[in-house]
Amino acid sequence: MDPLQDDNVVVFSPHQDDETIGLGVHIHSWTQHTNVHVDYTTNGAPSHLLHPHRYPQAGCSTFLEYAERRREDAKGAMRFFGLQEDDLIFSNFEDLTLVDTLEALAGFITKVMADLRPTHVFFPALEGAHPDHDATALAGWYALQALNFQGTCAEYATYTLIEGALVCNAFESPHTGIIRMLTEEERRMKCAALALYTLQQEDLWMQQYMKELKQESYRPFSLHLEERIRQQQ
């Protein structure tokens, strides 16, 4: 399941940091021997913020300025892992809107995959961690069906709540996928990359995550995916 020499990998990330949270160390490793692209399915900025103080605190007067800041943060973090700007794809879907734009999102993902012709694709896990994560996974599933994708498709863990506690880089349901326990050097590298996401440093969950991170996990789109998709519909 792990990409091999000269494979073509596409990681779909709902927000500008999810790819690092879920697969940062893997991405760094893959860039040594494969082609890697990261596709961001939102611009990282909702126009109707739940916390309206965030924009002025970040020095931004509009959500579009905030979105541009998130884009620049992502470019810096991905350069840290060895990717160039041409390896990144940014969508214009607003943060927290993907559930309402599912058909358009599926079309966008289908076009990206048709253009890049990946051998491996990675989507966030469909486990209720965040509505944009679930929508990206669901739209990805539709794209896979539309393209009759014959490559390797996996879902990666980011964060979720289990019995009220934040759990990082682990799936809510049991799995037999790949779990990479991070070395101290890999952990420091990942924390350094996450620190480049300047707009997220005030989030308490990010601070907790950086203290607790110890592994990265991904698994095949499971046999139970269709059942989970029906539950989401």
Side-chain angles (χ1 to χ4, degrees), residues 54-76:
R54 178 171 291 185
Y55 291 160
Q57 281 185 350
C60 303
S61 58
T62 69
F63 85 100
L64 290 177
E65 287 184 29
Y66 190 87
E68 183 59 27
R69 283 278 303 278
R70 294 208 69 176
R71 179 188 296 239
E72 292 304 311
D73 282 355
K75 291 177 184 178

Side-chain angles (χ1 to χ4, degrees), residues 3 7-11 30 34-38 118-122:
D7 278 341
N8 190 14
V9 176
V10 178
V11 176
W30 294 336
T34 65
N35 301 307
V36 180
H37 288 83
V38 176
T119 58
H120 294 66
V121 291
F122 293 82

Side-chain angles (χ1 to χ4, degrees), residues 125-139:
L126 182 68
E127 289 198 325
H130 189 291
D132 288 338
H133 292 208
D134 288 353
T136 298
L138 183 55

Side-chain angles (χ1 to χ4, degrees), residues 1-129:
M1 186 164 54
D2 215 27
L4 302 175
Q5 184 76 30
D6 298 325
D7 278 341
N8 190 14
V9 176
V10 178
V11 176
F12 289 92
S13 177
H15 311 104
Q16 292 77 6
D17 65 3
D18 289 319
E19 79 299 321
T20 301
I21 291 169
L23 292 171
V25 172
H26 280 91
I27 289 172
H28 179 260
S29 297
W30 294 336
T31 58
Q32 311 305 308
H33 63 273
T34 65
N35 301 307
V36 180
H37 288 83
V38 176
D39 180 298
Y40 298 98
T41 56
T42 76
N43 64 6
S47 59
H48 51 287
L49 258 187
L50 298 176
H51 305 288
H53 62 276
R54 178 171 291 185
Y55 291 160
Q57 281 185 350
C60 303
S61 58
T62 69
F63 85 100
L64 290 177
E65 287 184 29
Y66 190 87
E68 183 59 27
R69 283 278 303 278
R70 294 208 69 176
R71 179 188 296 239
E72 292 304 311
D73 282 355
K75 291 177 184 178
M78 292 301 97
R79 279 195 300 269
F80 185 82
F81 285 141
L83 297 181
Q84 303 303 313
E85 187 171 347
D86 289 345
D87 300 319
L88 310 179
I89 301 169
F90 296 93
S91 83
N92 291 318
F93 294 105
E94 285 185 24
D95 195 349
L96 295 175
T97 68
L98 295 186
V99 171
D100 299 321
T101 56
L102 202 57
E103 184 175 352
L105 176 61
F108 174 75
I109 291 174
T110 299
K111 184 178 186 308
V112 168
M113 291 180 60
D115 290 344
L116 295 178
R117 299 183 179 182
T119 58
H120 294 66
V121 291
F122 293 82
F123 295 100
L126 182 68
E127 289 198 325

Side-chain angles (χ1 to χ4, degrees), residues 56 81 99 131 152 193 200 216:
F81 285 141
V99 171
T152 297
Q200 307 307 108
E216 292 183 352

